[in-house]
């Protein structure tokens, strides 16, 4: 069972899933055509059932975290349609597909007679059992969908000062001369390749821990210190939402390394979310269930800006801008 | 070029070495590493070749991106995050590493032990798994940097003083975990005094408050019932080999010795089997204070390991807590058969994952209680909840406190959270202001447990709930709180910073059935009426998803007020009896299918006849 241990890599999961399925189906088709050439082709009926069961099993056992039955049922139905179209491409193919079913219905041989009898008895029993089970009161975990990035307010008031989200500016995104310069700072975030490491450990412009670090990169370090004193407990040492307590909370903490979180947002939006926390979310964001602290209770405005900037540096993303 | 290095060594004659030797003798006590002589199951190995300079340089880039935040610029375990962590991040300077295949006191194998640590993380600490985040090459590079530049007192190239005797774990065949082996293991943990620290039932409640590591920070013995928190569990919690390895090599820098020299390999497997069998399974098996009988040993070996969630490396969490109907009186203790009967299928208890309360001040950065177990049954009038959780100490408030039980804003009384500290403490080797240093010196408050349910949840439009933290103004909650001094009180909560409102009338109706601390575990059973006052209590109805969440306080952790552990929202569901219609509908479906079958067959045979005649 080694192959089942092969991990889905975070952030690449949908692509990995689709390519795995495509590779497997390609593999099946090649096997099938090879067997056909060798004169021992798999009958259409069994090939169809095989492919369909493979997809069902793949969805059930390969994908983690598991997807709910209702979603699997939809995928299962769609793939059944696909397979149906494949087996009914031409009249001959359709006849070939039908043949095993017709044979059992007609029951001309001893074997098919026994099979028909068995199916006639077992199918109703199976359906009855299925009906009974599905009528039992079942208390599965309810699925509650919340909006991950709810619409932000126009302004937010933090520590007595009002910030207009559309015009507020990250005060620490500055070059070594102290001038606001997003292009400069974006040039010194970590490298996006595997590991997301700083570009040059020996450069005082790339390494926040360089004693000569100035401007942007120095503030990144200050933001990082705040992150590792306050945020990593939930958001994790790699900002991937897998902190010490990630498993205690539902919804689980945001994964900043995922392209769907801070990479999709403006810096001022993140500033608002950090400052106001879970309790400051609108209703569609489930404010009652979030343990995200309203950080204005723990950090100064400057510290919030710095930690937001650190999150972008460490994940190698740029904040979205208005243009 | 080599001359200055030699001179340096002679000018500073072996001082670090003597220090660490003294540490070894002092802390390991039982075993002084026997140089040149191998314990059973070990074989000598060559010291590794030094790393290439390019690899060290590449590792430096990894270190200063990912590791420095906790382990610090000099690798002294004093990064900005360190002061709010317990256990503290590793100080690499002395070359003391916990999880190894090498004999006690020796350096670890870099590309086996340290690589596995970086790959799988150290559960129960803040060290995460770096697999999938850093490539294997990057992980090896960072080890090159750490072992070359940050381990300062010892060296893997020091032929004179270092040797590696490696546990040959792969060539040893485990003894199967039979009841006999488990039974023998349970005797051996007594003979070898394991229970003195780990406790009679292995919940880490033995000598829990007097143990220190080499740096003087308090540490606690492992709780054998939570194998997923073993530092050396390598994301394979129930694997007995991990326990055998730790047991054979000891944990350097801590009072956990190696048992390789004074115990046969066979006996070590028995102990490992016993310890592994105690890790929580699908059945809660009472081990009678460690006096394991054949019957208990059989039960331990037949129970199945829990499902571990690969995303968290902790037991899988199910957010629905089922409550089943029982006839007659509700159970009065944990031994009642009805907690365990076959209706529960696998088992009835649910694990509730607890995190530190980190939303509002004073935040709790170290929660010693990381999970509680809950099970529930009900009868016509009452519902009972049984809570069981591991707590190394029974904490009961002895001194008077200045505040009343309903008060929550205790900062006014000096209950404060841990200051961030951090790299500013570089020059302070003992880090006295760190959370790790303070662990055994907190003022002791009551152990406590509370759960909250929304009042009038029936009127909440799904999925709206009251705030998880003692409700909110619009949606108050019904809080039941038990404290270890024997009180069970009902409150109404209207917000995290609002003093709780005493509800004397409801307090009279709730009942503390049992509260007992035994062998490192609390068992608290609370019963409450299904229906009291609709306007002021959670009005419990069958088949409804009733939001519920939990709070837990460890008195010896200084937990009080808002300093506590907290859970997410779960759902309590009182399962109604099976409806009689279920059988009817099932029968109807089966009969329906028989009719359809008949129709298909008739149709087919008609068509065949038609084909035959045409």
């Amino acid at each position: 069972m080694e192959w089942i241990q092969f991990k889905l890599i975070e952030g690449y999961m949908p692509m990995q899933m689709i390519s795995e399925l495509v590779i497997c189906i390609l593999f099946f088709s090649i096997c099938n055509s090879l067997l056909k050439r060798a004169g021992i082709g798999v009958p259409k009926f069994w090939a169809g059932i095989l492919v369909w069961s493979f997809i069902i099993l793949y969805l059930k056992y390969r994908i983690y975290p598991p997807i709910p039955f209702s979603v699997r049922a939809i995928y299962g139905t769609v793939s059944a349609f696909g397979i149906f179209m494949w087996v009914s491409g031409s009249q001959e193919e359709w006849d070939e597909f039908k043949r095993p079913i017709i044979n059992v219905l007609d029951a001309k041989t001893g074997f098919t007679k026994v099979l028909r009898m068995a199916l006639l008895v077992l199918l109703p029993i199976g359906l009855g059992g299925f009906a009974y089970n599905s009528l039992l009161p079942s208390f599965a975990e309810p699925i509650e969908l919340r909006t991950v990035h709810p619409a932000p307010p126009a302004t937010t008031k933090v520590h007595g000062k009002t910030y207009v989200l559309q015009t507020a500016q990250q005060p620490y995104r500055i070059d070594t001369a102290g001038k606001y310069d997003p292009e400069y700072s974006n040039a010194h975030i970590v490298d996006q390749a595997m590991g997301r490491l700083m570009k040059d450990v020996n450069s005082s412009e790339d390494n926040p821990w360089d004693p000569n670090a100035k401007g942007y990169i120095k503030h990144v370090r200050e933001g990082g210190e705040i992150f590792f004193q306050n945020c990593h407990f939930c958001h994790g040492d790699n900002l991937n939402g897998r902190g010490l307590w990630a498993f205690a909370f539902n919804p689980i903490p945001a994964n900043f390394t995922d392209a769907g979180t801070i990479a999709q947002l403006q810096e001022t939006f993140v500033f608002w979310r950090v400052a106001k926390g879970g309790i400051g979310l609108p209703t569609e964001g489930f404010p009652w269930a979030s343990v995200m602290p309203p950080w204005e209770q723990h950090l100064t405005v400057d510290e919030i800006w710095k930690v937001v900037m650190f999150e972008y540096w460490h994940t190698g993303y740029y904040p979205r801008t208005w243009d | 070029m080599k001359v200055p290095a030699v001179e340096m060594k002679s000018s500073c004659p072996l001082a670090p070495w003597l220090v660490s030797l003294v540490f070894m003798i002092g802390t390991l006590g039982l075993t002084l590493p026997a140089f040149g002589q191998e314990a059973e199951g070990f074989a000598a190995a060559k010291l590794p070749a030094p790393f290439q300079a390019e690899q060290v340089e590449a590792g430096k880039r990894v270190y200063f991106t990912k590791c420095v935040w906790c382990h610090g610029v000099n690798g002294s375990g004093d990064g900005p995050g360190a002061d709010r962590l317990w256990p503290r991040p590793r100080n690499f300077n002395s070359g003391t590493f916990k999880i190894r295949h090498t004999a006690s006191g020796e350096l670890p194998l870099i590309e086996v032990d340290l690589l596995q640590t970086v790959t799988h993380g150290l559960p129960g600490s803040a060290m995460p798994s770096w697999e999938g985040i850093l490539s294997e090459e990057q992980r090896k590079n960072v080890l090159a940097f750490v072992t070359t530049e940050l381990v300062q007192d010892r060296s893997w190239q020091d032929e004179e003083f270092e040797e590696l005797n490696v546990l040959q774990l792969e060539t040893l065949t485990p003894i199967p975990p039979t009841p006999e082996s488990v039974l023998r293991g349970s005797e051996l943990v007594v003979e070898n005094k394991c229970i003195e620290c780990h406790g009679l039932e292995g919940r880490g409640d033995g000598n829990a408050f007097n143990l220190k590591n080499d740096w003087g920070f308090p540490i606690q013995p492992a709780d054998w019932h939570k194998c997923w928190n073993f530092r050396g569990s390598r994301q394979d919690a129930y694997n007995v080999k991990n326990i055998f390895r730790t047991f054979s090599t000891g944990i350097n820098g801590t009072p956990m010795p190696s048992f390789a020299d004074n115990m046969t390999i066979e006996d070590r497997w028995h102990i490992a089997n016993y310890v592994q069998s105690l890790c929580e399974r699908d059945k809660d098996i009472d081990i009678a204070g460690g006096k394991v009988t054949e019957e208990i040993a059989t039960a331990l070996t037949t129970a199945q390991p829990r499902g571990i969630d690969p995303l968290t490396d902790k037991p899988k969490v199910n957010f629905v807590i089922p409550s089943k109907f029982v006839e007659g009186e509700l159970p009065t203790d944990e031994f009642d058969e009805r907690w365990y009967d076959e209706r529960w299928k696998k088992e009835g208890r649910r694990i509730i994952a607890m995190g530190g309360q980190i939303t509002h001040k004073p935040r709790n950065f170290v929660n010693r209680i990381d999970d509680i177990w809950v099970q529930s049954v009900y009868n016509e009038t009452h519902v009972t909840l049984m809570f069981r959780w591991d707590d190394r100490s029974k904490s009961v408030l002895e001194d008077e406190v200045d505040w009343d039980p309903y008060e929550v804003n205790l900062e006014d009384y000096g209950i404060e959270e841990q200051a961030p500290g951090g790299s500013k403490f570089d020059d302070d080797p003992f880090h006295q202001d760190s959370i790790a240093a303070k662990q055994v010196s907190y003022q002791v408050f009551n152990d406590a447990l509370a759960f909250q349910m929304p009042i009038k949840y029936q009127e909440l439009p799904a999925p709206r709930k009251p705030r998880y933290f003692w409700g909110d103004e619009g949606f108050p909650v019904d809080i039941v709180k038990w404290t270890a001094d024997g009180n069970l009180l009902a409150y109404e909560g209207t917000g995290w910073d609002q003093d709780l409102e005493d509800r004397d009338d409801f307090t009279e109706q709730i009942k503390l059935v049992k509260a007992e601390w035994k062998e490192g575990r609390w068992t608290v059973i609370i019963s409450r009426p299904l229906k009291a006052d609709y306007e002021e209590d959670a009005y419990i109805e069958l088949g409804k998803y009733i939001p519920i969440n939990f709070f837990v306080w460890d008195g010896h952790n200084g937990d009080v007020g808002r300093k506590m552990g907290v859970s997410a929202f779960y759902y309590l569901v009182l399962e109604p009896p099976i409806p009689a219609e279920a059988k009817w509908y099932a029968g109807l479906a089966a009969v329906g299918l028989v009719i359809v079958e008949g129709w298909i067959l008739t149709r087919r045979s008609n068509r065949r006849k038609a084909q035959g005649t045409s």
Side-chain angles (χ1 to χ4, degrees), chain A residues 235-302:
Chain A
H235 293 287
D237 292 354
N238 199 46
L239 285 64
N240 59 355
R242 302 280 162 74
L244 275 175
W245 299 324
F247 94 119
F249 300 130
N250 180 24
I252 57 163
N255 172 1
F256 302 139
T257 61
D258 187 284
T261 60
I262 58 170
Q264 296 290 324
L265 301 169
Q266 285 137 11
E267 211 165 8
T268 51
F269 182 99
V270 183
F271 174 81
W272 161 67
R273 289 286 284 109
V274 173
K276 296 297 170 186
I279 203 168
L281 284 166
T283 308
E284 66 267 29
F286 291 16
W288 52 86
S290 171
V291 297
M292 172 80 166
W295 285 100
E296 57 182 345
Q297 291 182 6
H298 308 284
L299 302 176
T300 65
V301 169
D302 288 347

Side-chain angles (χ1 to χ4, degrees), chain B residues 2-18:
Chain B
K2 273 185 180 171
V3 178
V6 172
E7 266 177 9
M8 250 177 65
K9 229 178 195 171
S10 54
S11 68
C12 175
L14 307 177
W17 250 103
L18 280 175

Side-chain angles (χ1 to χ4, degrees), chain B residues 327-478:
Chain B
E327 299 275 352
E329 292 294 304
L330 289 164
T332 53
D333 60 32
E334 68 273 29
F335 304 111
D336 196 298
E337 298 266 305
R338 292 169 297 176
W339 293 116
Y340 310 102
D341 67 30
E342 72 288 343
R343 288 187 310 158
W344 295 102
K345 293 190 184 136
K346 270 190 194 156
E347 72 166 343
R349 61 178 181 160
R350 288 277 191 265
I351 188 169
I352 310 291
M354 306 299 291
Q357 189 287 110
I358 34 87
T359 311
H360 300 292
K361 278 186 165 64
R363 290 171 289 168
N364 186 11
F365 299 105
V366 169
N367 62 322
R368 290 199 198 161
I369 297 163
D370 60 353
D371 55 47
I372 57 179
W373 298 86
V374 181
Q375 190 170 357
S376 175
V377 291
Y378 70 97
N379 65 13
E380 286 84 358
T381 56
H382 285 74
V383 58
T384 286
L385 292 147
M386 174 164 75
F387 300 94
R388 307 191 85 180
W389 70 95
D390 291 5
D391 182 343
R392 289 180 171 87
S393 56
K394 178 180 183 175
S395 327
V396 181
L397 182 73
E398 281 166 4
D399 310 322
E400 285 278 301
V401 288
D402 298 335
W403 56 85
D404 287 309
Y406 59 81
E407 283 188 76
V408 298
N409 297 310
L410 303 185
E411 296 97 307
D412 308 344
Y413 299 100
I415 304 296
E416 280 173 356
E417 67 181 32
Q418 171 67 33
S423 49
K424 295 160 200 100
F425 291 85
D426 258 355
D427 46 355
D428 164 23
F430 301 110
H431 302 277
Q432 297 197 352
D433 293 321
S434 70
I435 210 163
K438 292 179 190 166
Q439 283 301 311
V440 290
S441 52
Y442 287 117
Q443 183 184 349
V444 176
F445 299 110
N446 280 317
D447 283 337
L449 177 115
F451 58 94
Q452 72 170 30
M453 292 188 270
I455 298 167
K456 293 198 264 191
Y457 63 88
Q458 293 90 337
E459 293 172 27
L460 291 174
R464 181 74 169 87
K465 297 182 187 77
R467 189 141 189 268
Y468 83 93
F469 200 164
W470 299 341
D472 49 63
E473 226 169 89
F475 297 104
V477 290
D478 159 348

